[in-house]
Amino acid sequence: MRASVGRELSRMVSFPVSESDIRRWAVAVYHPEEPPRLFWDEDHARASVHGGIVAPEEFNPFAWMTAEPAGLRRAPEGGIHALEQALGIPGPPVRFQLNGGLEAEYGVPIRPGDVITSVTRLAGYRERPGRLGLMLFAVSEATWTNQRDEWVKTSRSTLIRY
């Protein structure tokens, strides 16, 4: 399993992000309050340091359909061993799993017209003893870039299994 660290787990490409996508996301996130004008008022946004409308940091262009792979996103197959199944290797001898957390860092903002590519890789495995026995921590890292190859976001997800 350790030989698989660094290997690609998935790759997605978004459709071009529209101003309407950004406005709808902002309305949903800030509901029932009005979202900040930076996310929906072009005149206000043009006068800001961003020079135009940008998406909130938590905007997800993959929340709906993706351009690649085409269509709706499906839950990964393989259940508790989905990560190893994506890599084509046998899963570890575990029976339970839980979400160990998510952390994110942000680069350039997403703008209308951007096409975002997400590449997720296995960042590492580590073990640690717990009250129920040995726990396996698997960390995956997703890096988003735009069509200019500018870094948009990196998120690290930890999966704890035992």
Side-chain angles (χ1 to χ4, degrees):
M1 289 178 19
R2 290 190 191 279
S4 297
V5 172
R7 287 184 53 200
E8 188 173 306
L9 293 165
S10 67
R11 176 179 295 263
M12 297 183 293
V13 179
S14 76
F15 285 105
V17 174
S18 72
E19 286 184 21
S20 184
D21 294 337
I22 294 170
R23 287 185 183 113
R24 288 179 190 163
W25 185 276
V27 166
V29 168
Y30 288 92
H31 180 78
E33 303 297 322
E34 185 172 278
R37 299 178 76 88
L38 179 63
F39 305 137
W40 59 272
D41 183 336
E42 181 61 38
D43 291 336
H44 174 82
R46 193 175 304 117
S48 74
V49 297
H50 299 290
I53 289 179
V54 296
E57 286 184 329
E58 68 277 1
F59 179 79
N60 182 356
F62 307 106
W64 303 285
M65 297 179 98
T66 56
E68 296 175 29
L72 293 173
R73 290 181 52 200
R74 305 279 181 223
E77 296 180 11
I80 198 167
H81 297 114
L83 193 149
E84 287 78 19
Q85 186 168 329
L87 296 168
I89 61 174
V94 294
R95 295 181 24 206
F96 303 100
Q97 70 178 0
L98 59 112
N99 182 343
L102 174 74
E103 57 186 70
E105 298 175 65
Y106 299 95
V108 299
I110 296 175
R111 298 176 178 278
D114 279 357
V115 174
I116 307 300
T117 299
S118 172
V119 177
T120 302
R121 297 184 183 282
L122 175 62
Y125 285 114
R126 66 185 164 88
E127 294 176 321
R128 181 177 148 197
R131 285 186 300 170
L132 301 174
L134 198 57
M135 299 184 300
L136 177 63
F137 292 72
V139 179
S140 59
E141 183 175 278
T143 302
W144 293 9
T145 54
N146 62 23
Q147 69 280 6
R148 293 176 297 280
D149 206 31
E150 297 169 318
W151 172 64
V152 173
K153 175 182 175 181
T154 299
S155 61
R156 284 173 212 80
S157 300
T158 302
L159 181 64
I160 303 171
R161 294 178 288 179
Y162 56 94

